[in-house]
Amino acid sequence: MKDILQELEHRRAEARLGGGQGRIDAQHAKGKLTARERIELLLDEDSFEEFDMFVTHRCTDFGMAASRPYGDGVVTGWGTINGRMVYVFSQDFTVLGGSVSETHARKICKIMDMAIENGAPVIGINDSGGARIQEGVDSLAGYGEVFQRNIEASGVVPQISVIMGPCAGGAVYSPAMTDFIFMVRDSSYMFVTGPDVVKTVTNEHVTAEELGGAVTHTRKSSVADAAFENDVEALAEVRRLVDFLPLNNREKPPARPFFDDPERMEDSLDTLIPDNPNQPYDMKELITKLADEADFYEIQEDFAKNIITGFIRLEGQTVGVVANQPMVLAGVLDIDSARKAARFVRFCDCFEIPILTLVDVPGFLPGTTQEYNGVIKHGAKLLFAYGEATVPKVTVITRKAYGGAYVVMSSKHLQGDINYAWPTSEIAVMGAKGATEIIHRADLGDPEKIAGHAKDYEDRFANPFVAAERGFIDEVIMPRSTRRRVARAFASLRRKSAKMPWKKHDNIPL
């Protein structure tokens, strides 16, 4: 018996060593942690239960039979984050470059199936050289099986991808179908075709970092949601994100203890809006002053900065926030901001996370670039996302809410539950200057008359009361009381039950 136990410990030690000490040292030299070290940092101490430690590949071509390392390049299992269950896989670059084989993919599929059946999030840590070429189509079949699990898990359990090394070719499509993608600066990259192929086909000279690094994907492509300095910071932020999310689509988001008075008045908000209607202000100041303990977890901070998305808590309950940012492009909606916000709204709706919308929007960005690139259809994505969302929706209009952009931003007309406005808000088809020049075109040659007409228009329409008279605004509130009013609004909606007409699925304007 003692010999058998020793044999087990020997095999376990061999499996834990991955590709060997030399390759582990090489991984550390690049500033990267190993697959197991990453799992240890991600999960609660001693909570990890590993599966399939002794799995090996079955390939015999190209001399592969001579090297059959345990685990086959991926560590899989489950554990807890602050006591809540998650499933995790972590690709091991020290074993055959973390390349995906048939059995490697099967290990990932196994824990994804378990996650769906048991209702817990899946966190994938990607660090792989791609498909294992020696296995040919078997490796591609493995990718396809993983993709199918991503699709089946979508909207059922949260899926989080952490890119901590290379992720190229077909491998990129699995993270692309997950809910959140995090990257590490200077050590992770994603692209469908690498720099060498790009050079051969298009004669473009580009580095891996420029083509698919963290800066590219967080600022330009919007593929990734955030980038961090190193593995440790990235994993700590994943833990923080998981704390905001429900385990699955049948559970409510977690409620946390809070130490911030829901009745708190914030007098500084009464002077947040500048007297000059064209002067910007920072919408993040409002968000943090509404949130419990000023805690705001922003999503896609570096992309489409004219709109803000992220999570706060109110009375300990998770709330998704979508807010126009007057500091960037005056807070207009455009292609990028509409796509960014629509995806976030749809995620919140999938997982029963209430949505708070803070509105200061002068309209959609005009111009041929926007029109030629389909702002109509991209703008419709946000409109569609809000209209189909059945979670509690509370809206606060702080200043401008003009034209179609007013309707799009979770207005009463898109089934907004409770819609508030500050006294400084202006709800109209357009600004006074533009409206006056259309209505009183005959007086354009007389600046004095036009100024008078503009003043009359502002007095009549540049306020929230016309909309309030028609019931499109539920209440005009004092800015200082916004936290209290919003918290009470969400509290009143906690038992909300709404359903859309039956359908197999909708056909969102992609």
Side-chain angles (χ1 to χ4, degrees), residues 5 13 61 63 71 117 212 275 287 335 355-356 377 379 463 475 481 498:
L5 296 179
D61 295 321
E117 290 167 4
D275 292 334
I287 295 171
I335 289 170
I355 301 168
L356 170 63
K377 221 162 197 187
N463 61 66
E475 181 69 282
S481 68

Side-chain angles (χ1 to χ4, degrees), residues 260-272 285-291 294 422 478-484:
D260 199 343
D261 185 2
E263 301 287 319
R264 169 168 53 81
M265 293 290 164
E266 195 65 60
D267 292 338
S268 62
L269 293 181
D270 286 349
T271 54
L272 178 65
E285 181 180 343
L286 173 57
I287 295 171
T288 54
K289 285 178 177 176
L290 293 181
W422 285 5
M478 294 298 289
R480 74 174 80 102
S481 68
T482 305
R483 173 175 160 85
R484 174 180 176 273

Side-chain angles (χ1 to χ4, degrees), residues 30-97:
K30 296 175 189 173
K32 296 163 63 177
L33 300 175
T34 65
R36 294 178 184 279
E37 288 169 341
R38 288 164 175 165
I39 289 175
E40 285 176 16
L41 275 176
L42 174 66
L43 301 179
D44 297 339
E45 190 173 358
D46 296 327
S47 72
F48 183 54
E49 295 288 338
E50 185 171 350
F51 297 141
D52 297 329
M53 177 184 275
F54 302 120
V55 163
T56 59
H57 69 77
R58 300 167 188 169
C59 182
T60 56
D61 295 321
F62 305 104
M64 289 294 289
S67 175
R68 300 178 66 216
Y70 287 137
D72 201 24
V74 64
V75 183
T76 62
W78 69 272
T80 60
I81 292 179
N82 290 327
R84 302 167 72 230
M85 179 186 241
V86 298
Y87 286 84
V88 62
F89 68 85
S90 180
Q91 293 178 316
D92 188 349
F93 196 78
T94 71
V95 177
L96 301 171

Side-chain angles (χ1 to χ4, degrees), residues 316-388:
Q317 309 269 347
T318 299
V319 172
V321 177
V322 178
N324 306 114
Q325 173 57 292
M327 298 286 286
V328 181
L329 295 174
V332 297
L333 288 174
D334 59 3
I335 289 170
D336 289 343
S337 61
R339 286 196 302 112
K340 169 182 170 178
R343 177 159 174 78
F344 182 77
V345 167
R346 283 170 66 84
F347 174 82
C348 290
D349 191 46
C350 282
F351 292 103
E352 288 298 316
I353 297 172
I355 301 168
L356 170 63
T357 306
L358 304 174
V359 183
D360 185 351
V361 61
F364 280 89
L365 183 64
T368 55
T369 301
Q370 289 289 306
E371 296 293 351
Y372 294 168
N373 286 289
V375 68
I376 294 170
K377 221 162 197 187
H378 291 294
K381 290 174 184 174
L382 182 54
L383 168 68
F384 199 105
Y386 269 123
E388 72 171 349

Side-chain angles (χ1 to χ4, degrees), residues 64 72 91 93 95-102 104-105 127-144 147 166-172 191-192:
M64 289 294 289
D72 201 24
Q91 293 178 316
F93 196 78
V95 177
L96 301 171
S99 57
V100 176
S101 68
E102 174 203 2
H104 178 123
D127 189 0
S128 168
R132 192 169 299 168
I133 298 170
Q134 295 91 331
E135 293 203 14
V137 73
D138 285 337
S139 174
L140 299 181
Y143 270 132
F147 299 161
C167 184
V172 298
F191 39 65
V192 177

Side-chain angles (χ1 to χ4, degrees), residues 12-281:
R12 282 181 172 172
E14 187 179 340
R16 290 191 187 106
L17 208 54
Q21 192 59 50
R23 290 183 181 175
I24 291 173
D25 292 342
Q27 184 88 338
H28 288 162
K30 296 175 189 173
K32 296 163 63 177
L33 300 175
T34 65
R36 294 178 184 279
E37 288 169 341
R38 288 164 175 165
I39 289 175
E40 285 176 16
L41 275 176
L42 174 66
L43 301 179
D44 297 339
E45 190 173 358
D46 296 327
S47 72
F48 183 54
E49 295 288 338
E50 185 171 350
F51 297 141
D52 297 329
M53 177 184 275
F54 302 120
V55 163
T56 59
H57 69 77
R58 300 167 188 169
C59 182
T60 56
D61 295 321
F62 305 104
M64 289 294 289
S67 175
R68 300 178 66 216
Y70 287 137
D72 201 24
V74 64
V75 183
T76 62
W78 69 272
T80 60
I81 292 179
N82 290 327
R84 302 167 72 230
M85 179 186 241
V86 298
Y87 286 84
V88 62
F89 68 85
S90 180
Q91 293 178 316
D92 188 349
F93 196 78
T94 71
V95 177
L96 301 171
S99 57
V100 176
S101 68
E102 174 203 2
T103 47
H104 178 123
R106 188 169 293 178
K107 287 180 65 174
I108 294 173
C109 290
K110 179 176 177 177
I111 64 126
M112 292 185 75
D113 288 339
M114 296 180 76
I116 294 170
E117 290 167 4
N118 294 291
V122 178
I123 301 171
I125 300 173
N126 297 72
D127 189 0
S128 168
R132 192 169 299 168
I133 298 170
Q134 295 91 331
E135 293 203 14
V137 73
D138 285 337
S139 174
L140 299 181
Y143 270 132
E145 295 288 340
V146 174
F147 299 161
Q148 182 62 33
R149 270 38 173 222
N150 289 129
I151 294 164
E152 291 172 5
S154 181
V156 178
V157 295
Q159 300 179 79
I160 300 170
S161 297
V162 194
I163 315 300
M164 291 189 154
C167 184
V172 298
Y173 290 112
S174 176
M177 288 186 283
T178 60
D179 300 304
F180 300 100
I181 301 176
F182 292 155
M183 297 184 73
V184 178
R185 293 188 185 94
D186 301 322
S187 66
S188 67
Y189 51 85
M190 302 174 71
F191 39 65
V192 177
T193 52
D196 294 338
V197 176
V198 170
K199 180 182 176 184
T200 302
V201 176
T202 70
N203 204 32
E204 292 177 278
H205 295 263
V206 64
T207 66
E209 185 64 32
E210 291 168 338
L211 183 62
V215 171
T216 296
H217 287 312
T218 53
R219 296 183 184 176
K220 296 179 182 178
S221 72
S222 81
V223 167
D225 295 287
F228 303 103
E229 291 302 321
N230 52 55
D231 289 8
V232 176
E233 184 184 354
L235 294 167
E237 289 300 313
V238 172
R239 286 180 61 91
R240 187 171 161 229
L241 173 61
V242 170
D243 276 351
F244 282 95
L245 307 181
L247 294 179
N248 57 67
N249 63 353
R250 294 180 181 272
E251 292 191 15
K252 295 285 187 182
R256 295 294 182 197
F258 63 98
F259 308 96
D260 199 343
D261 185 2
E263 301 287 319
R264 169 168 53 81
M265 293 290 164
E266 195 65 60
D267 292 338
S268 62
L269 293 181
D270 286 349
T271 54
L272 178 65
I273 306 298
D275 292 334
N276 181 347
N278 297 317
Q279 185 177 333
Y281 61 94

